[in-house]
Amino acid sequence: MTDTFGLIGFGYWGTNLARNLDKLAGKRWRYLVDASPERRQAATERYPQVLATDDLDAVLGDDEVRAVLVATPAPSHAPLARRALAAGKHVFVEKPLAMSVADAVALAETADRSGLVLMVGHTFEYVPAVERMRDYIRSGEIGDVLYLHSQRLNLGRIQNDLHTFWSIGPHDVSIANYLLDAEPQWVAAQGGRYLHDGVEDVTFVTVGYPGDVVAHMHVSWLDPAKTRRTTVVGTRRMLVYDDLNTDARLTVHDKGAEPLEPDGDGVRRYRLRDDAVHVPVLSPAEPLGLELRHFMDCVRTGARPRTDGWNGARVVAVLEAADASLRAGGATVPVPPVPGPVDAAAPHAGRPRPDGPHPDLTPATR
C-alpha cells in the first residue's frame, strides 16, 4: 500500500510541516484539513495537488490515508490524535502531546496496543548540534554532567491560552531529557504574569535529574533579545548550543575548575582552566525535515519512533509538575514516573551512537 498522508492544521507551525511534507511526500500528501476557509484557500494556492477540506471524518475514513500529522492548538492535540488512532491511522503530533499525563499515557498505550506509530514533534531532538552534544555526553568526553542551563526568549508570539512553559518550554524539557537520557525527578517553577492575568509570560523552571544534576530553564515571550541557547557544564568540558549562531551552532569549551590540595587551614582551592574552543562540523540538514523523514520511515517499517508517545508523556509530566509548582508558589513538586512501552520488545528506531571519543573534539580551534 502506498503511504499517503493528511495534515491537520495550516497555522503557525502547520505551514512549516506543509513545506517539508510537500518536499518529502510529494503527491502522497493527499489532504489538508483546516476549519478556516482563508487558510484552506492559502493552502490550495500554495499546494494545488492537495485537497483542502474541513471534513476530518472524510479524511480519517479514507482507507488510502495511512498517517496524519496534527499541527493544531495544543488543547486539541490529544482529542485529534485519539480520533486518528481510533481510525487506524499512524499519527504525528506537534508538542505537547497532551495537556495531562493521563491523556498522554492513554495515547501511548493505545498506539502500542494497536500496532500504530505515534510520534511527537520534539524537533530539537533531531537537531544535529543537539545530537552531537548527546554524543559528547555519552562518550564521557565532557566528564560528569553538573548542570544544564537553557534560555528560550523572544519578544512576540504572545499567547493567551497557554503560559510560556506549556507553549515553548517543551522544547527545553525534551532537550534535557534527551541529553541526560534520564527521567526527571522533581520540578520547581516560578513565573510572572504581566500581559494576561491568568498566563505566565515568563517562567523560571528548575528540573532535577538523578545524580544531583539540575536543568534550569528560562522561557519568555517578553524579552528584548531573541535567544535560543542551551549550555551543558561538565567536569572536563562545557558545551554551548546557540541555535541563532549560524557560524558556530555548537561550541566545545575546554574549560573547568580543577581542585588543588587543601591549604594549611583545610580550605580547598581551585585552578581555573580556560583553553581552546572547538567548533564541530555539523550537518546543514533542516531538523524538521529529518524529523518528518524519520516519521515516514517508521510508518513504512513499523519501527518505534525516537520521540514516541512515551517520550511525549515524559515531557508532559514535567509540564504538569511545573503547573503544580507555579500554583504552590515555587514549591518543589515530584515528577511521577512514566511507564514504558506496552510491548517492551517493540523495535526502536534511531541511529547508533559511538561509545568512544568523538573525532570532532580536535578540529582547528576557533
Side-chain angles (χ1 to χ4, degrees):
M1 179 189 296
T2 300
D3 296 336
T4 58
F5 301 88
L7 172 61
I8 306 172
F10 195 65
Y12 174 76
W13 197 246
T15 55
N16 292 319
L17 285 172
R19 173 174 50 80
N20 280 276
L21 193 58
D22 180 58
K23 185 186 305 181
L24 295 172
K27 293 182 179 179
R28 291 181 296 142
W29 175 22
R30 180 165 297 184
Y31 294 105
L32 182 284
V33 183
D34 199 292
S36 165
E38 293 77 18
R39 288 196 291 267
R40 292 200 303 272
Q41 179 62 32
T44 299
E45 292 173 357
R46 195 174 306 176
Y47 308 106
Q49 80 281 8
V50 177
L51 176 60
T53 177
D54 62 353
D55 191 347
L56 178 58
D57 288 333
V59 175
L60 297 181
D62 188 335
D63 292 338
E64 294 190 7
V65 174
R66 291 199 66 196
V68 296
L69 297 86
V70 178
T72 54
S76 66
H77 288 179
L80 289 173
R82 191 178 304 117
R83 287 178 63 184
L85 290 170
K89 310 301 183 186
H90 303 291
V91 184
F92 174 98
V93 188
E94 270 307 328
K95 56 81 187 167
L97 171 59
M99 300 303 294
S100 72
V101 177
D103 282 347
V105 168
L107 290 171
E109 289 177 340
T110 297
D112 283 0
R113 290 181 176 135
S114 304
L116 295 168
V117 172
L118 174 62
M119 178 167 162
V120 185
H122 292 154
T123 311
F124 283 87
E125 294 191 34
Y126 300 87
V127 171
V130 176
E131 291 182 318
R132 187 65 56 84
M133 292 172 81
R134 179 166 152 127
D135 289 344
Y136 286 136
I137 293 170
R138 293 188 66 173
S139 70
E141 287 299 318
I142 72 165
D144 296 329
V145 175
L146 300 178
Y147 70 89
L148 283 68
H149 178 228
S150 60
Q151 298 166 288
R152 192 166 300 274
L153 317 172
N154 200 9
L155 181 62
R157 195 150 192 271
I158 297 163
Q159 296 181 249
N160 57 18
D161 57 340
L162 294 175
H163 63 62
T164 45
F165 202 59
W166 272 101
S167 176
I168 54 182
H171 291 313
D172 296 304
V173 176
S174 172
I175 290 172
N177 288 358
Y178 176 67
L179 291 180
L180 298 174
D181 196 20
E183 291 201 31
Q185 297 179 321
W186 54 265
V187 175
Q190 292 186 323
R193 301 174 178 179
Y194 306 112
L195 303 179
H196 298 96
D197 289 341
V199 175
E200 282 78 9
D201 307 293
V202 57
T203 46
F204 300 89
V205 180
T206 303
V207 184
Y209 289 87
D212 293 327
V213 177
V214 296
H216 186 259
M217 306 171 189
H218 174 199
V219 297
S220 174
W221 53 51
L222 189 59
D223 196 276
K226 184 173 183 179
T227 307
R228 301 283 186 272
R229 183 181 298 116
T230 298
T231 301
V232 179
V233 175
T235 54
R236 292 180 57 199
R237 291 184 174 90
M238 305 176 185
L239 308 173
V240 177
Y241 160 51
D242 186 345
D243 193 53
L244 302 183
N245 186 345
T246 56
D247 292 328
R249 281 200 166 89
L250 176 61
T251 49
V252 183
H253 299 257
D254 197 1
K255 299 184 177 185
E258 299 174 348
L260 303 175
E261 290 297 321
D263 61 19
D265 297 324
V267 177
R268 181 174 294 280
R269 303 186 185 281
Y270 290 83
R271 178 176 59 241
L272 300 182
R273 177 172 43 81
D274 189 355
D275 293 329
V277 177
H278 306 282
V279 182
V281 177
L282 302 170
S283 166
E286 181 183 2
L288 185 54
L290 296 172
E291 181 182 48
L292 286 188
R293 188 181 297 279
H294 179 56
F295 175 63
M296 292 178 182
D297 287 344
C298 292
V299 169
R300 178 176 53 83
T301 65
R304 179 177 295 278
R306 282 166 48 184
T307 51
D308 65 359
W310 300 105
N311 177 303
R314 284 188 286 274
V315 171
V316 172
V318 174
L319 302 176
E320 200 169 64
D323 265 352
S325 179
L326 286 170
R327 291 194 300 271
T332 298
V333 173
V335 179
V338 173
V342 171
D343 177 7
H348 286 259
R351 284 169 255 177
R353 302 185 179 279
D355 294 324
H358 201 285
D360 282 326
L361 272 176
T362 54
T365 58
R366 179 182 174 83

